[in-house]
Amino acid sequence: MKFETVIGLEVHVELATKSKIFCSCSAKFGAEQNDHVCPACCGMPGMLPIVNKNVVNLGMTAGMMLNCHINRTTTFDKKSYYYPDLPCSYQTTQWFAPVAVNGLVDIETSKGKKSIRIKQIHMEEDAGKLVHDDWTNTSLVDFNRTSVPLIEIVSQPDLSSAEEVVAYLERLRSLLRFAKVSDCRMEQGSMRCDVNLSVRPEGSDQLGVRTEMKNMNSLSAIVRAIEYETARHIDAIENGTEELVQETRRWDDVKGKSFAMRNKETAGDYRYFPDPNIMPVVIDDTWYDGIKNSLPEFPEVKKARYMSEFGLGEYDADILTGSRALCDCFEGAVAECGNAKEAANWLISDCMNLLNKNQQTADQLTVNGTSLGKLIKLVTDGTIGRGNAKKILIAMFEKDLDPAKYAEENGLILSNDTGLIDKVIKEAIAADPKAVADFKGGKEKALMALFGKCMKQLKGNCDPQVLRTMLIDEINKA
Amino acid sequence: MKKIVLDDMMLTKALPTTAGSRMLEGYMSLFDAEVVERLTAAGYEMAGKAQVGEFAIDLVGETAYTGTLTENGKLTAASAKALENDTVKGVISLDVNGAPRRIAAQNGLVFVKPTYGTVSRYGTVPVACSGETVGVLARNIADCREVLSAMAGHDDKDGTMHADALCKKAADGCEKPVKKVAVIKMEADADITAELEAAKAEMVANGIEITEIEADVLSAAKTAWNILMCAELCNNVSRYDGIKFGYRTQNYTTIDELYTNSRTESFGALLKTAILFGSDVLSTKNYMAKYDKALRIRRVLAEAFGKLFADFDAVLMPACSKPAYTETDVKENPYIAFEENRYTAPASITGLPAVVAGGVQLVGPAFSEGALLDLAALLVKEGK
């Protein structure tokens, strides 16, 4: 019998806000334990939640990027369960009227194009973290992450393979990064995923027994978990190796196996009800339109435009539209210098090289597009040489600066002093008559040696074309 | 210096806040309640705290873990005792389930429960957030008005508050004096009935039109409020799990035992009942039939009051069934507080302002506490 896998995903994405969802504590990752806490996010009695408006902005943005309907009245609800990392023993989330519903995400795999339906996107607060100390056999709670804003993106069970799941997650990541909703870094936990999976005979319209694997945080682990779990289900159905039950399972990536969690950890009634301390959030036309108008172009639309409007090749356009930071810098540079090909070259070769050297991703590029455009103009109009321009770019990675001013202050302007060039050439020729003779004898390489010595003497502040022409003239005279 | 006593639902940095529960024995808040800050800024001295029943859901405070206060076999309240001291201007009380209103009615005191959302709840121990209100218990109308006026006003830290002008209007203003009063027919004992009759007579003597009405719809308020209050309570007290603060059992080996035993050992019987009841009405099985229905009843009641206030300026009703409770009353019916609140639930569930004075209760439209206090002034001899 042939089987097909039915997969639905719940993807948690940490929002790129400065502060937490209901208090003004920092939402930044990586602080000392319990540094980013206050009475509100520690669950102390008497504190009341005030919704961070930026969280709603990003929730709406995510909804629009994933083609969802935005609920103009959206409410917050309480979900009750006991766990030491949840200070109030309830999580404030959205159950009855989530911010966005009924979306659609297009993916492309080796089997072609497919649309994945989004059931809903809801906003909620994250929980804290338990740190287990084996030495003293105790558990300690770190509340830094408590109340960090999240959205949960719930798909319909429209995915049918690990490949589709990866394509879907990469698409989500690309869209959400583009819209600056989240940095979606799985290794830091700012994007995590619960995989709901069942297996059924191909063509059946009945769903099989569903299991859920929670908190998956790497694409490769997700692929392995889906393959393992699919095989386990098929084995159970075909060979009766075990009875499948609806349950939550834990994926152990080291052992390469999934394990049933204790029933107690998963059973229970969440007793959802509307949070009486948070009034319904009403999104009026002004607010809605403001978010709608601030949405970025989709990456593929941008790519097509870069190719048609700026004449970039597909390869270049692909790299640039892989990151919102590259696009912003590129568009800023083009607006300043009007030279798209040069701007693309600078970004794809020089900037990417520097990023690699610093072990940074394209999203971490901080170079100001306008400044890059100014730098390109200085090179194309012959004010500075390409080598010196690269030195300026390195400085621009440190902090934003005006390239012309920087070049002047650091003596990087091309010299137009032909008297000085003439003097340097004459000295070089006098010092190395053998090279002159070799060149005259037909050895092209000998010219390069002389050229290099002159350029060094001139500290690079010389148009290479000018130097070359003057050097050949001088040799011929000699 | 004008002294204020806080009931033990108000969080303070200077003194422990227990909410009447062993669970919070010795709990020190990191911050003061907004009302404490406002009253301090207005020149009042915080003189101390008055014990309350566990999470303020009982009759008059008899479930406090520190013990039941009685006098001649009758239940008495710490807040009422505090007002026996003439230097105390008022007691700030959180009206969750009507206790301060019953205390006022049974002790010849005045209590104003202002319109929901006109006094900040920031820094009050949360129980039933959708209806509980910070009010003032005092010896007379003037003190009540003065203290309310000092603490009412918009607070950005409480997301359920009205605009500042509305909060201030409620506390200070009286745009529309009460001319027509509807008397809600409700059962009560002879003493309470006599007080109601006296109140009616006083109103008639002052030219106020009195009409007796049946309002069966209000009888749904009690059950609906019990559902909403217990549901919110069970959720709000779930943070007291023995992990972060409050009582922790010595008797555990697993996390589940830590939770269960900490709560079993430190919570009282009435609170446990409320927690179980609240969990049940929120369960997936019962949500629609109970919790959701209670929310609908809340809306029906708000509409019913709206219609009533088209014809009348205020309603007159009892605040309790009898002039005093005894320990026997509570022993015979441990859940008596969830019955007696039939008089207080209508204003709790709708968030309408209520004033208790002269042993009776007046309820008016939103922001009418100024007018209710003027009306109440007819019922008490000022200057006591």
Side-chain angles (χ1 to χ4, degrees):
Chain A
M1 201 192 296
K2 285 195 96 179
F3 290 93
E4 64 181 2
T5 315
V6 179
I7 303 168
L9 293 186
E10 289 159 27
V11 179
H12 286 92
V13 173
E14 257 177 25
L15 299 177
T17 55
K18 285 201 174 67
S19 56
K20 293 187 177 184
I21 184 167
F22 300 125
C23 61
S24 55
C25 286
S26 166
K28 219 173 159 207
F29 177 79
E32 286 293 307
Q33 281 154 2
N34 290 316
D35 249 15
H36 293 168
V37 296
C38 72
C41 53
C42 282
M44 292 185 178
M47 300 296 291
L48 297 166
I50 301 295
V51 180
N52 178 345
K53 193 176 176 189
N54 209 19
V55 170
V56 185
N57 288 342
L58 293 182
M60 288 163 69
T61 305
M64 290 176 187
M65 290 302 284
L66 307 188
N67 301 301
C68 291
H69 167 77
I70 303 297
N71 275 328
R72 292 302 194 93
T73 300
T74 182
T75 58
F76 285 89
D77 309 294
K78 295 187 178 194
K79 173 183 181 179
S80 292
Y81 66 95
Y82 285 91
Y83 203 66
D85 69 4
L86 191 65
C88 284
S89 303
Y90 61 77
Q91 178 194 29
T92 305
T93 177
Q94 297 198 285
W95 180 252
F96 295 104
V99 64
V101 292
N102 298 336
L104 212 56
V105 172
D106 295 329
I107 60 165
E108 198 168 351
T109 64
S110 58
K111 295 211 175 102
K113 290 185 176 174
K114 186 171 175 180
S115 290
I116 308 301
R117 290 169 300 154
I118 302 292
K119 182 170 176 261
Q120 68 176 55
I121 301 176
H122 56 262
M123 307 178 278
E124 62 187 21
E125 56 180 339
D126 209 342
K129 214 166 88 179
L130 289 186
V131 183
H132 302 285
D133 184 351
D134 289 334
W135 188 254
T136 57
N137 197 25
T138 51
S139 294
L140 302 161
V141 197
D142 177 3
F143 286 133
N144 277 350
R145 207 178 59 186
T146 328
S147 286
V148 165
L150 294 176
I151 48 170
E152 180 174 334
I153 303 163
V154 185
S155 84
Q156 296 286 2
D158 289 352
L159 297 147
S160 50
S161 67
E163 189 196 0
E164 285 184 7
V165 167
V166 170
Y168 169 77
L169 289 172
E170 283 180 340
R171 179 68 177 157
L172 285 189
R173 186 156 63 177
S174 159
L175 291 174
L176 298 177
R177 277 183 179 170
F178 239 75
K180 297 182 177 172
V181 168
S182 168
D183 60 7
C184 296
R185 301 175 77 158
M186 287 189 114
E187 72 283 4
Q188 289 187 355
S190 65
M191 187 174 189
R192 320 189 278 272
C193 167
D194 302 345
V195 179
N196 290 287
L197 182 147
S198 65
V199 161
R200 65 181 172 193
E202 207 170 70
S204 164
D205 57 358
Q206 301 283 312
L207 286 169
V209 175
R210 171 169 59 91
T211 56
E212 180 178 18
M213 286 177 290
K214 278 192 178 290
N215 280 332
M216 309 288 298
N217 58 3
S218 97
L219 286 179
S220 54
I222 290 168
V223 169
R224 282 191 289 273
I226 289 173
E227 282 165 358
Y228 173 87
E229 199 60 11
T230 304
R232 190 179 72 86
H233 281 238
I234 293 174
D235 204 26
I237 298 166
E238 277 197 318
N239 306 321
T241 46
E242 61 181 309
E243 193 193 341
L244 290 175
V245 285
Q246 186 171 333
E247 62 183 354
T248 302
R249 295 178 71 85
R250 184 175 57 83
W251 173 250
D252 186 325
D253 205 38
V254 178
K255 294 200 174 84
K257 283 182 173 179
S258 71
F259 295 93
M261 286 167 76
R262 282 190 306 135
N263 201 31
K264 280 197 80 167
E265 291 174 35
T266 58
D269 189 326
Y270 289 131
R271 290 168 287 147
Y272 289 99
F273 75 105
D275 189 335
N277 282 321
I278 306 176
M279 298 286 106
V281 178
V282 179
I283 299 162
D284 61 17
D285 285 350
T286 318
W287 191 359
Y288 181 91
D289 293 342
I291 299 292
K292 189 97 201 163
N293 294 333
S294 74
L295 293 183
E297 264 173 310
F298 274 36
E300 63 275 14
V301 176
K302 232 184 226 309
K303 181 182 157 187
R305 185 164 67 84
Y306 283 5
M307 290 166 69
S308 63
E309 190 178 326
F310 297 128
L312 297 187
E314 180 162 11
Y315 176 80
D316 289 356
D318 227 18
I319 293 184
L320 289 178
T321 55
S323 154
R324 174 75 186 273
L326 289 181
C327 291
D328 286 352
C329 186
F330 172 73
E331 287 170 26
V334 174
E336 178 66 26
C337 72
N339 190 336
K341 288 223 164 72
E342 274 298 313
N345 282 339
W346 275 93
L347 277 162
I348 291 166
S349 56
D350 301 289
C351 290
M352 289 301 272
N353 282 343
L354 284 169
L355 285 167
N356 286 338
K357 215 180 260 177
N358 299 343
Q359 293 180 313
Q360 287 177 307
T361 64
D363 278 335
Q364 288 166 288
L365 180 78
T366 54
V367 170
N368 180 307
T370 312
S371 304
L372 180 65
K374 285 181 182 163
L375 182 69
I376 292 169
K377 270 206 301 205
L378 291 174
V379 176
T380 47
D381 70 12
T383 311
I384 53 176
R386 194 168 275 273
N388 282 340
K390 286 183 187 179
K391 286 183 198 159
I392 299 175
L393 183 66
I394 291 170
M396 283 163 64
F397 263 67
E398 300 295 322
K399 66 175 208 291
D400 190 29
L401 50 84
D402 177 27
K405 199 163 161 245
Y406 184 86
E408 190 147 359
E409 283 166 2
N410 292 278
L412 302 173
I413 305 281
L414 282 182
S415 169
N416 295 320
D417 184 352
T418 47
L420 178 67
I421 299 170
D422 199 44
K423 181 171 164 270
V424 168
I425 288 173
K426 282 186 173 134
E427 280 169 12
I429 287 174
D432 197 351
K434 185 175 179 294
V436 176
D438 285 351
F439 178 68
K440 283 185 169 169
K443 282 191 183 167
E444 280 288 326
K445 268 188 187 164
L447 178 70
M448 288 317 291
L450 287 168
F451 178 88
K453 277 178 190 162
C454 295
M455 195 54 118
K456 198 177 169 193
Q457 199 64 35
L458 291 161
K459 297 192 177 95
N461 293 332
C462 174
D463 186 331
Q465 271 310 320
V466 174
L467 178 62
R468 193 183 152 83
T469 315
M470 285 176 68
L471 184 59
I472 292 172
D473 285 353
E474 196 59 37
I475 291 171
N476 289 337
K477 272 191 251 165
Chain B
M1 196 77 160
K2 301 175 284 186
K3 286 184 181 162
I4 290 287
V5 167
L6 304 164
D7 84 9
D8 210 8
M9 301 298 283
M10 306 292 137
L11 289 154
T12 48
K13 285 193 284 193
L15 289 170
T17 306
T18 71
S21 180
R22 183 177 306 284
M23 177 53 95
L24 283 175
E25 186 168 30
Y27 176 70
M28 296 300 293
S29 174
L30 293 175
F31 58 98
D32 280 327
E34 175 70 11
V35 287
V36 172
E37 294 210 339
R38 286 188 186 223
L39 291 171
T40 307
Y44 293 92
E45 179 197 351
M46 300 302 121
K49 283 199 157 179
Q51 85 170 31
V52 290
E54 193 170 26
F55 289 97
I57 57 169
D58 62 2
L59 280 178
V60 293
E62 70 282 3
T63 60
Y65 81 104
T66 37
T68 305
L69 298 178
T70 56
E71 224 168 52
N72 307 322
K74 289 170 182 165
L75 300 183
T76 172
S79 53
K81 300 298 284 179
L83 285 166
E84 285 176 7
N85 182 332
D86 279 347
T87 65
V88 174
K89 196 94 176 161
V91 180
I92 310 305
S93 296
L94 187 68
D95 187 334
V96 179
N97 193 28
R101 275 178 274 169
R102 287 186 286 274
I103 292 167
Q106 296 183 342
N107 291 277
L109 298 168
V110 181
F111 182 73
V112 56
K113 180 188 100 69
T115 309
Y116 181 82
T118 59
V119 176
S120 175
R121 287 182 296 112
Y122 175 88
T124 62
V125 176
V127 182
C129 298
S130 72
E132 66 201 13
T133 313
V134 180
V136 186
L137 185 72
R139 278 182 299 274
N140 57 57
I141 305 286
D143 289 353
C144 234
R145 203 191 290 274
E146 178 192 313
V147 177
L148 175 62
S149 167
M151 62 183 198
H154 180 82
D155 175 13
D156 281 338
K157 300 187 291 302
D158 178 350
T160 62
M161 293 207 73
H162 294 288
D164 202 50
L166 281 174
C167 301
K168 291 275 163 48
K169 173 189 160 195
D172 303 334
C174 175
E175 287 174 0
K176 194 184 168 204
V178 175
K179 291 200 177 108
K180 287 174 162 182
V181 171
V183 181
I184 311 277
K185 281 188 191 158
M186 288 182 96
E187 264 182 50
D189 80 352
D191 291 322
I192 298 290
T193 310
E195 282 181 309
L196 281 166
E197 289 306 320
K200 287 192 300 196
E202 196 65 44
M203 288 181 191
V204 171
N206 282 277
I208 290 166
E209 199 181 301
I210 297 284
T211 314
E212 303 254 352
I213 61 159
E214 305 271 353
D216 286 345
V217 62
L218 296 188
S219 64
K222 178 194 80 178
T223 308
W225 178 242
N226 284 339
I227 289 172
L228 298 181
M229 175 176 67
C230 293
E232 293 179 33
L233 172 143
C234 107
N235 172 269
N236 271 321
V237 302
S238 62
R239 77 188 71 214
Y240 312 114
D241 55 6
I243 303 283
K244 300 170 295 295
F245 43 76
Y247 180 87
R248 181 184 287 189
T249 181
Q250 298 293 308
N251 169 31
Y252 70 95
T253 48
T254 66
I255 182 79
D256 291 335
E257 282 172 12
L258 168 58
Y259 288 146
T260 308
N261 296 346
S262 295
R263 293 163 68 84
T264 303
E265 290 164 21
S266 65
F267 285 158
L270 184 67
L271 185 69
K272 283 175 187 164
T273 306
I275 291 171
L276 291 176
F277 181 67
S279 296
D280 186 59
V281 298
L282 284 178
S283 66
T284 309
K285 188 167 69 97
N286 288 329
Y287 183 88
M288 288 312 287
K290 294 187 176 165
Y291 187 83
D292 191 71
K293 184 158 277 178
L295 286 180
R296 287 161 199 271
I297 290 172
R298 165 178 269 166
R299 201 158 64 202
V300 168
L301 286 167
E303 283 165 10
F305 270 115
K307 278 186 198 147
L308 211 52
F309 292 136
D311 299 326
F312 302 97
D313 304 317
V315 300
L316 170 66
M317 60 201 282
C320 50
S321 67
K322 52 203 240 179
Y325 304 111
T326 62
E327 283 187 283
T328 321
D329 289 338
V330 182
K331 274 201 191 96
E332 280 174 358
N333 179 6
Y335 312 126
I336 183 171
F338 297 166
E339 293 291 335
E340 279 291 284
N341 64 1
R342 63 186 180 275
Y343 305 104
T344 53
S348 297
I349 198 169
T350 52
L352 293 173
V355 170
V356 172
V360 299
Q361 177 176 216
L362 304 165
V363 178
F367 313 114
S368 70
E369 34 285 54
L372 293 180
L373 286 167
D374 285 347
L375 178 61
L378 303 176
L379 312 181
V380 289
K381 299 281 169 280
E382 289 292 79
K384 266 185 199 171

